[in-house]
Amino acid sequence: MTADRILGIETSCDETAASIVNRGTDVMSSVVASQIEIHARYGGVVPEVASRAHVETIMPVIAQSIVEAGVQDAQIEAVASTYGPGLVGALLIGVSAAKAMSLVWDVPFVAVNHLEAHLYAAFLEEPDLEMPLVILLVSGGHTMLIVMEDHLRYRVLGSTLDDAAGEAFDKVARYMDLGYPGGPVIDRLSVDGDPQAIRFPRAMASDGWDFSFSGVKTAVVNHVRKNPGVEVHDVAASFQEAVVDVLIRKARKAAQEVGAKGLCLAGGVAANSRLRERLLDVCVADGYRAFLPSRSMCTDNAAMVAAAAWWRLQADGPSPLDIGANPSLRLPVV
Ligand code: KG4
Ligand code: ZN
């Protein structure tokens, strides 16, 4: 089944987002209402607060996405929403809104996997990406090394055994009182720091495909405790370098082993300047095509949800309306 003009909805964590995308690539509107300011005072996302904010924001955000796209309700051919993984109370708001709109407009409902949506962010801007692709999916909740063999066909080579990469950025920033979310702050501070100033551990760097980031986080905490006067920019840059180093080494090795055509970044941490720079360097050195989605498409948004829905709808048809939110949903693998 096909439906070209799809309304996507995203509420899995702390962004309320809606977007209208035509044929999985043409972004007609993308509205993101971030709750960062609401959660910043707690130093992290408070699930109950997130759900309440989604309830308040969801309808205005959807309305804005329709106005900005310049379409009439009757021109929307399907409604999609992230149904997992994420915070169950937050997911339910988007899923319920999408089901209601699909009933009212009598169009298909598509339940979208948030991880698959992050992968499809790349295709929004580069529809003709050649596969196999090695994708580093790095966000606040996930760190996965994925081989995309074809559309909707994935193999997960490795994932994190403890903290996700973004989680490590957030925890280090919280410990150092730098603010929330930690990734963008550490990225900014690192510009004026020396990445070689402190040699933080690169756990499992040449050991299989999995990742572990809780050790480097503890190493930063111990270093700062023992050296209270340490230059914060150097700590930020050295920590960032340690995380990026491991991510890049494994992605490079994976690309070599699977004969990838390209290397691609996805997820919130893909907005990281140093990670983007290092990935480009590897691609230039080894001759892969590099694909770095724009920063606004790396962090949570609904255009990626509508893009993934376009592909899923063709492959699997509409989702049943009795499908619920699934907070621990996994990426469907071949
Ligand atoms: O994909 P995302 O918006 O939400 C999840 O699905 O988790 O990712 C959010 C994560 C946070 O941990 C945030 O600190 C991190 O992405 N992040 C960054 C940067 N921008 C966002 N990490 C490193 N450098 C950045 N520039
Ligand atoms: Zn995400």
Side-chain angles (χ1 to χ4, degrees):
M1 170 174 209
T2 54
D4 288 341
R5 204 170 286 123
I6 300 182
L7 165 66
I9 297 173
E10 160 61 43
T11 61
S12 67
C13 190
D14 60 344
E15 259 93 28
T16 317
S19 163
I20 296 178
V21 177
N22 193 31
R23 297 183 63 80
T25 51
D26 173 18
V27 182
M28 303 177 73
S29 64
S30 178
V31 181
V32 181
S34 171
Q35 303 175 4
I36 281 178
E37 279 179 25
I38 303 174
H39 299 288
R41 81 186 77 144
Y42 306 107
V45 178
V46 183
E48 194 52 39
V49 174
S51 308
R52 259 182 254 164
H54 285 307
V55 171
E56 281 167 21
T57 325
I58 186 89
M59 292 320 289
V61 165
I62 291 173
Q64 193 181 336
S65 75
I66 295 172
V67 170
E68 283 186 13
V71 297
Q72 305 293 318
D73 297 356
Q75 293 173 296
I76 294 168
E77 295 166 70
V79 185
S81 175
T82 300
Y83 78 114
L87 303 168
V88 69
L91 289 164
L92 279 171
I93 315 297
V95 169
S96 309
K99 286 180 184 172
M101 315 295 267
S102 104
L103 278 172
V104 170
W105 292 334
D106 194 22
V107 294
F109 162 66
V110 191
V112 171
N113 183 312
H114 184 76
L115 302 173
E116 187 162 80
H118 270 302
L119 301 182
Y120 269 91
F123 291 88
L124 275 171
E125 291 163 300
E126 198 69 44
D128 302 321
L129 277 179
E130 275 188 274
M131 287 170 263
L133 264 181
V134 165
I135 309 183
L136 204 46
L137 171 51
V138 274
S139 70
H142 296 87
T143 301
M144 298 165 88
L145 188 57
I146 295 164
V147 183
M148 189 165 176
E149 315 264 13
D150 200 348
H151 281 291
L152 309 173
R153 291 174 61 82
Y154 321 102
R155 263 189 310 134
V156 178
L157 289 182
S159 46
T160 182
L161 302 178
D162 40 55
D163 291 349
E167 192 181 355
F169 273 94
D170 295 337
K171 286 180 174 169
V172 162
R174 184 156 57 194
Y175 176 74
M176 295 175 71
D177 253 340
L178 301 175
Y180 173 84
V185 188
I186 291 181
D187 194 350
R188 269 197 309 277
L189 290 173
S190 299
V191 173
D192 300 315
D194 174 5
Q196 313 304 334
I198 310 149
R199 176 79 193 170
F200 288 124
R202 273 87 166 140
M204 304 178 72
S206 37
D207 182 11
W209 296 118
D210 288 330
F211 302 91
S212 165
F213 293 112
S214 78
V216 64
K217 173 195 69 189
T218 309
V220 173
V221 170
N222 290 340
H223 187 88
V224 174
R225 205 175 276 150
K226 281 191 205 136
N227 305 276
V230 67
E231 171 55 57
V232 64
H233 297 89
D234 287 346
V235 177
S238 301
F239 160 74
Q240 176 175 276
E241 196 65 18
V243 172
V244 168
D245 212 27
V246 179
L247 291 172
I248 290 292
R249 273 202 237 176
K250 296 210 182 208
R252 182 178 203 171
K253 194 160 163 240
Q256 282 160 357
E257 289 212 4
V258 305
K261 298 262 172 44
L263 260 168
C264 180
L265 292 178
V269 181
N272 184 267
S273 319
R274 185 66 182 139
L275 182 60
R276 295 169 82 88
E277 187 178 52
R278 292 277 309 269
L279 190 98
L280 276 177
D281 289 348
V282 164
C283 288
V284 169
D286 296 1
Y288 303 118
R289 177 108 196 263
F291 198 71
L292 311 172
S294 60
R295 283 183 164 79
S296 61
M297 289 300 156
C298 291
T299 47
D300 288 350
N301 66 85
M304 66 185 194
V305 175
W310 189 70
W311 288 95
R312 270 288 157 208
L313 187 62
Q314 289 179 60
D316 301 345
S319 307
L321 283 179
D322 61 359
I323 198 169
N326 183 347
S328 46
L329 190 67
R330 299 167 81 100
L331 189 70
V333 289
V334 286

mmCIF file of all heavy atoms in Angstrom, residues 12-15 114 118 138-142 165-167 169-170 181-184 187 240 267-273 295 298-300, ligand 1:
data_model
loop_
_atom_site.group_PDB
_atom_site.id
_atom_site.type_symbol
_atom_site.label_atom_id
_atom_site.label_comp_id
_atom_site.label_asym_id
_atom_site.label_seq_id
_atom_site.Cartn_x
_atom_site.Cartn_y
_atom_site.Cartn_z
ATOM 1 N N SER A 12 8.436 10.393 21.804
ATOM 2 C CA SER A 12 8.986 9.291 22.608
ATOM 3 C C SER A 12 9.754 9.749 23.839
ATOM 4 O O SER A 12 9.937 8.999 24.783
ATOM 5 C CB SER A 12 9.883 8.413 21.745
ATOM 6 O OG SER A 12 11.026 9.125 21.354
ATOM 7 N N CYS A 13 10.233 11.005 23.834
ATOM 8 C CA CYS A 13 11.024 11.458 24.983
ATOM 9 C C CYS A 13 10.651 12.889 25.340
ATOM 10 O O CYS A 13 9.548 13.125 25.849
ATOM 11 C CB CYS A 13 12.507 11.279 24.665
ATOM 12 S SG CYS A 13 13.559 11.522 26.089
ATOM 13 N N ASP A 14 11.511 13.835 25.059
ATOM 14 C CA ASP A 14 11.224 15.203 25.505
ATOM 15 C C ASP A 14 11.057 16.193 24.361
ATOM 16 O O ASP A 14 11.210 17.392 24.554
ATOM 17 C CB ASP A 14 12.302 15.686 26.491
ATOM 18 C CG ASP A 14 13.688 15.690 25.885
ATOM 19 O OD1 ASP A 14 13.891 15.059 24.835
ATOM 20 O OD2 ASP A 14 14.591 16.320 26.462
ATOM 21 N N GLU A 15 10.733 15.695 23.164
ATOM 22 C CA GLU A 15 10.408 16.594 22.062
ATOM 23 C C GLU A 15 9.012 16.252 21.563
ATOM 24 O O GLU A 15 8.739 15.073 21.304
ATOM 25 C CB GLU A 15 11.394 16.432 20.890
ATOM 26 C CG GLU A 15 12.458 17.488 20.826
ATOM 27 C CD GLU A 15 13.729 17.087 21.537
ATOM 28 O OE1 GLU A 15 13.992 15.881 21.598
ATOM 29 O OE2 GLU A 15 14.433 17.981 22.044
ATOM 30 N N HIS A 114 11.135 4.047 16.650
ATOM 31 C CA HIS A 114 11.954 5.267 16.772
ATOM 32 C C HIS A 114 13.374 5.063 16.229
ATOM 33 O O HIS A 114 13.972 5.976 15.638
ATOM 34 C CB HIS A 114 11.997 5.665 18.252
ATOM 35 C CG HIS A 114 12.713 6.940 18.529
ATOM 36 N ND1 HIS A 114 12.172 8.178 18.267
ATOM 37 C CD2 HIS A 114 13.945 7.191 19.043
ATOM 38 C CE1 HIS A 114 13.033 9.114 18.608
ATOM 39 N NE2 HIS A 114 14.122 8.553 19.080
ATOM 40 N N HIS A 118 15.234 7.106 13.169
ATOM 41 C CA HIS A 118 16.558 7.771 13.170
ATOM 42 C C HIS A 118 17.359 7.353 11.941
ATOM 43 O O HIS A 118 18.063 8.166 11.345
ATOM 44 C CB HIS A 118 17.342 7.414 14.433
ATOM 45 C CG HIS A 118 17.101 8.362 15.583
ATOM 46 N ND1 HIS A 118 17.338 9.710 15.489
ATOM 47 C CD2 HIS A 118 16.645 8.144 16.851
ATOM 48 C CE1 HIS A 118 17.054 10.289 16.649
ATOM 49 N NE2 HIS A 118 16.621 9.367 17.491
ATOM 50 N N VAL A 138 23.691 6.769 17.395
ATOM 51 C CA VAL A 138 24.160 7.196 18.718
ATOM 52 C C VAL A 138 23.234 8.261 19.290
ATOM 53 O O VAL A 138 23.178 9.381 18.783
ATOM 54 C CB VAL A 138 25.620 7.724 18.638
ATOM 55 C CG1 VAL A 138 26.607 6.596 18.752
ATOM 56 C CG2 VAL A 138 25.893 8.503 17.353
ATOM 57 N N SER A 139 22.509 7.883 20.345
ATOM 58 C CA SER A 139 21.565 8.851 20.915
ATOM 59 C C SER A 139 21.659 8.816 22.433
ATOM 60 O O SER A 139 22.586 8.223 22.999
ATOM 61 C CB SER A 139 20.150 8.518 20.453
ATOM 62 O OG SER A 139 19.722 7.333 21.075
ATOM 63 N N GLY A 140 20.686 9.442 23.095
ATOM 64 C CA GLY A 140 20.693 9.449 24.548
ATOM 65 C C GLY A 140 20.349 8.079 25.118
ATOM 66 O O GLY A 140 20.733 7.741 26.235
ATOM 67 N N GLY A 141 19.620 7.281 24.342
ATOM 68 C CA GLY A 141 19.189 5.972 24.842
ATOM 69 C C GLY A 141 19.883 4.803 24.165
ATOM 70 O O GLY A 141 19.810 3.673 24.657
ATOM 71 N N HIS A 142 20.533 5.034 23.017
ATOM 72 C CA HIS A 142 21.084 3.905 22.248
ATOM 73 C C HIS A 142 22.446 4.208 21.660
ATOM 74 O O HIS A 142 22.742 5.359 21.331
ATOM 75 C CB HIS A 142 20.131 3.537 21.107
ATOM 76 C CG HIS A 142 18.818 3.049 21.602
ATOM 77 N ND1 HIS A 142 17.786 3.897 21.884
ATOM 78 C CD2 HIS A 142 18.389 1.814 21.920
ATOM 79 C CE1 HIS A 142 16.771 3.206 22.352
ATOM 80 N NE2 HIS A 142 17.101 1.946 22.393
ATOM 81 N N ALA A 165 26.087 6.455 24.357
ATOM 82 C CA ALA A 165 27.065 7.541 24.189
ATOM 83 C C ALA A 165 26.501 8.874 24.688
ATOM 84 O O ALA A 165 27.159 9.605 25.445
ATOM 85 C CB ALA A 165 27.475 7.632 22.719
ATOM 86 N N GLY A 166 25.273 9.192 24.295
ATOM 87 C CA GLY A 166 24.656 10.455 24.717
ATOM 88 C C GLY A 166 24.464 10.520 26.225
ATOM 89 O O GLY A 166 24.619 11.578 26.848
ATOM 90 N N GLU A 167 24.149 9.368 26.788
ATOM 91 C CA GLU A 167 23.963 9.280 28.244
ATOM 92 C C GLU A 167 25.271 9.611 28.954
ATOM 93 O O GLU A 167 25.282 10.312 29.977
ATOM 94 C CB GLU A 167 23.526 7.841 28.549
ATOM 95 C CG GLU A 167 23.018 7.575 29.921
ATOM 96 C CD GLU A 167 22.638 6.088 30.066
ATOM 97 O OE1 GLU A 167 22.680 5.311 29.080
ATOM 98 O OE2 GLU A 167 22.317 5.707 31.202
ATOM 99 N N PHE A 169 27.677 11.559 27.786
ATOM 100 C CA PHE A 169 27.838 13.017 27.671
ATOM 101 C C PHE A 169 26.983 13.718 28.732
ATOM 102 O O PHE A 169 27.437 14.636 29.415
ATOM 103 C CB PHE A 169 27.396 13.505 26.276
ATOM 104 C CG PHE A 169 28.483 13.464 25.228
ATOM 105 C CD1 PHE A 169 28.636 12.378 24.380
ATOM 106 C CD2 PHE A 169 29.345 14.544 25.067
ATOM 107 C CE1 PHE A 169 29.631 12.354 23.407
ATOM 108 C CE2 PHE A 169 30.345 14.536 24.086
ATOM 109 C CZ PHE A 169 30.488 13.430 23.264
ATOM 110 N N ASP A 170 25.728 13.286 28.861
ATOM 111 C CA ASP A 170 24.804 13.939 29.799
ATOM 112 C C ASP A 170 25.267 13.754 31.250
ATOM 113 O O ASP A 170 25.198 14.684 32.057
ATOM 114 C CB ASP A 170 23.373 13.394 29.620
ATOM 115 C CG ASP A 170 22.793 13.746 28.253
ATOM 116 O OD1 ASP A 170 23.265 14.722 27.640
ATOM 117 O OD2 ASP A 170 21.876 13.043 27.794
ATOM 118 N N PRO A 181 20.892 19.459 27.997
ATOM 119 C CA PRO A 181 21.598 18.196 27.823
ATOM 120 C C PRO A 181 23.099 18.411 27.662
ATOM 121 O O PRO A 181 23.537 19.427 27.137
ATOM 122 C CB PRO A 181 20.973 17.616 26.545
ATOM 123 C CG PRO A 181 20.476 18.801 25.787
ATOM 124 C CD PRO A 181 20.133 19.857 26.794
ATOM 125 N N GLY A 182 23.864 17.421 28.100
ATOM 126 C CA GLY A 182 25.307 17.573 28.181
ATOM 127 C C GLY A 182 26.033 17.576 26.843
ATOM 128 O O GLY A 182 27.071 18.240 26.705
ATOM 129 N N GLY A 183 25.504 16.828 25.860
ATOM 130 C CA GLY A 183 26.202 16.697 24.579
ATOM 131 C C GLY A 183 26.545 18.028 23.936
ATOM 132 O O GLY A 183 27.728 18.319 23.664
ATOM 133 N N PRO A 184 25.555 18.875 23.698
ATOM 134 C CA PRO A 184 25.863 20.150 23.033
ATOM 135 C C PRO A 184 26.810 21.036 23.857
ATOM 136 O O PRO A 184 27.652 21.734 23.286
ATOM 137 C CB PRO A 184 24.490 20.827 22.896
ATOM 138 C CG PRO A 184 23.487 19.723 23.029
ATOM 139 C CD PRO A 184 24.111 18.663 23.860
ATOM 140 N N ASP A 187 30.329 19.611 23.537
ATOM 141 C CA ASP A 187 30.750 19.889 22.158
ATOM 142 C C ASP A 187 31.281 21.332 22.067
ATOM 143 O O ASP A 187 32.383 21.579 21.546
ATOM 144 C CB ASP A 187 29.513 19.703 21.249
ATOM 145 C CG ASP A 187 29.856 19.613 19.774
ATOM 146 O OD1 ASP A 187 31.004 19.882 19.416
ATOM 147 O OD2 ASP A 187 28.958 19.287 18.978
ATOM 148 N N GLN A 240 35.405 13.898 25.160
ATOM 149 C CA GLN A 240 34.755 13.785 23.846
ATOM 150 C C GLN A 240 35.617 12.975 22.882
ATOM 151 O O GLN A 240 35.132 12.113 22.147
ATOM 152 C CB GLN A 240 34.521 15.190 23.293
ATOM 153 C CG GLN A 240 33.934 15.215 21.902
ATOM 154 C CD GLN A 240 33.623 16.636 21.452
ATOM 155 O OE1 GLN A 240 32.567 17.170 21.770
ATOM 156 N NE2 GLN A 240 34.523 17.241 20.738
ATOM 157 N N GLY A 267 20.987 9.759 15.031
ATOM 158 C CA GLY A 267 20.738 9.951 16.471
ATOM 159 C C GLY A 267 21.335 11.255 16.964
ATOM 160 O O GLY A 267 22.174 11.880 16.302
ATOM 161 N N GLY A 268 20.914 11.683 18.156
ATOM 162 C CA GLY A 268 21.293 12.990 18.695
ATOM 163 C C GLY A 268 22.789 13.246 18.749
ATOM 164 O O GLY A 268 23.252 14.358 18.455
ATOM 165 N N VAL A 269 23.590 12.228 19.101
ATOM 166 C CA VAL A 269 25.042 12.430 19.234
ATOM 167 C C VAL A 269 25.685 12.653 17.849
ATOM 168 O O VAL A 269 26.794 13.174 17.748
ATOM 169 C CB VAL A 269 25.695 11.248 19.994
ATOM 170 C CG1 VAL A 269 27.184 11.445 20.176
ATOM 171 C CG2 VAL A 269 25.025 11.047 21.348
ATOM 172 N N ALA A 270 24.953 12.293 16.798
ATOM 173 C CA ALA A 270 25.454 12.539 15.438
ATOM 174 C C ALA A 270 25.580 14.031 15.157
ATOM 175 O O ALA A 270 26.182 14.434 14.161
ATOM 176 C CB ALA A 270 24.527 11.880 14.418
ATOM 177 N N ALA A 271 25.016 14.864 16.039
ATOM 178 C CA ALA A 271 25.184 16.316 15.888
ATOM 179 C C ALA A 271 26.564 16.751 16.375
ATOM 180 O O ALA A 271 26.963 17.901 16.168
ATOM 181 C CB ALA A 271 24.100 17.046 16.689
ATOM 182 N N ASN A 272 27.311 15.858 17.008
ATOM 183 C CA ASN A 272 28.606 16.222 17.597
ATOM 184 C C ASN A 272 29.650 16.607 16.532
ATOM 185 O O ASN A 272 29.940 15.835 15.614
ATOM 186 C CB ASN A 272 29.132 15.059 18.446
ATOM 187 C CG ASN A 272 30.416 15.419 19.167
ATOM 188 O OD1 ASN A 272 31.514 15.183 18.678
ATOM 189 N ND2 ASN A 272 30.273 16.040 20.330
ATOM 190 N N SER A 273 30.237 17.786 16.692
ATOM 191 C CA SER A 273 31.167 18.317 15.682
ATOM 192 C C SER A 273 32.378 17.424 15.461
ATOM 193 O O SER A 273 32.794 17.181 14.336
ATOM 194 C CB SER A 273 31.689 19.688 16.097
ATOM 195 O OG SER A 273 30.687 20.448 16.644
ATOM 196 N N ARG A 295 22.058 18.727 11.457
ATOM 197 C CA ARG A 295 21.936 18.576 12.914
ATOM 198 C C ARG A 295 20.477 18.484 13.354
ATOM 199 O O ARG A 295 20.134 17.712 14.238
ATOM 200 C CB ARG A 295 22.642 19.729 13.619
ATOM 201 C CG ARG A 295 24.153 19.565 13.640
ATOM 202 C CD ARG A 295 24.792 20.702 14.418
ATOM 203 N NE ARG A 295 26.162 20.400 14.782
ATOM 204 C CZ ARG A 295 27.210 20.489 13.953
ATOM 205 N NH1 ARG A 295 27.021 20.834 12.695
ATOM 206 N NH2 ARG A 295 28.421 20.210 14.390
ATOM 207 N N CYS A 298 19.248 15.051 13.092
ATOM 208 C CA CYS A 298 19.907 14.042 13.938
ATOM 209 C C CYS A 298 19.152 13.890 15.248
ATOM 210 O O CYS A 298 18.891 12.778 15.706
ATOM 211 C CB CYS A 298 21.346 14.457 14.252
ATOM 212 S SG CYS A 298 22.429 14.419 12.832
ATOM 213 N N THR A 299 18.786 15.008 15.876
ATOM 214 C CA THR A 299 18.051 14.929 17.147
ATOM 215 C C THR A 299 16.582 14.622 16.837
ATOM 216 O O THR A 299 16.144 14.686 15.689
ATOM 217 C CB THR A 299 18.197 16.247 17.941
ATOM 218 O OG1 THR A 299 17.955 17.324 17.049
ATOM 219 C CG2 THR A 299 19.587 16.407 18.517
ATOM 220 N N ASP A 300 15.827 14.280 17.884
ATOM 221 C CA ASP A 300 14.461 13.806 17.673
ATOM 222 C C ASP A 300 13.615 14.808 16.890
ATOM 223 O O ASP A 300 13.584 15.997 17.216
ATOM 224 C CB ASP A 300 13.801 13.501 19.022
ATOM 225 C CG ASP A 300 14.374 12.240 19.644
ATOM 226 O OD1 ASP A 300 15.130 11.517 18.954
ATOM 227 O OD2 ASP A 300 14.048 11.967 20.810
HETATM 228 O O1 KG4 B 1 18.260 11.286 19.475
HETATM 229 P P1 KG4 B 1 18.056 12.192 20.630
HETATM 230 O O2 KG4 B 1 17.510 13.582 20.368
HETATM 231 O O3 KG4 B 1 17.095 11.547 21.684
HETATM 232 C C1 KG4 B 1 17.135 10.174 21.975
HETATM 233 O O4 KG4 B 1 16.465 9.401 21.228
HETATM 234 O O5 KG4 B 1 17.898 9.841 22.917
HETATM 235 O O6 KG4 B 1 19.468 12.273 21.391
HETATM 236 C C2 KG4 B 1 19.654 13.051 22.534
HETATM 237 C C3 KG4 B 1 21.104 12.864 22.989
HETATM 238 C C4 KG4 B 1 21.402 13.512 24.331
HETATM 239 O O7 KG4 B 1 22.099 12.577 25.127
HETATM 240 C C5 KG4 B 1 22.302 14.699 23.955
HETATM 241 O O8 KG4 B 1 23.241 15.037 24.965
HETATM 242 C C6 KG4 B 1 23.001 14.156 22.728
HETATM 243 O O9 KG4 B 1 21.997 13.445 22.029
HETATM 244 N N1 KG4 B 1 23.526 15.239 21.876
HETATM 245 C C7 KG4 B 1 24.859 15.423 21.649
HETATM 246 C C8 KG4 B 1 24.969 16.592 20.855
HETATM 247 N N2 KG4 B 1 23.701 17.073 20.612
HETATM 248 C C9 KG4 B 1 22.837 16.218 21.247
HETATM 249 N N3 KG4 B 1 25.933 14.720 22.057
HETATM 250 C C10 KG4 B 1 27.151 15.156 21.683
HETATM 251 N N4 KG4 B 1 27.340 16.281 20.948
HETATM 252 C C11 KG4 B 1 26.286 17.028 20.509
HETATM 253 N N5 KG4 B 1 26.480 18.121 19.780
#
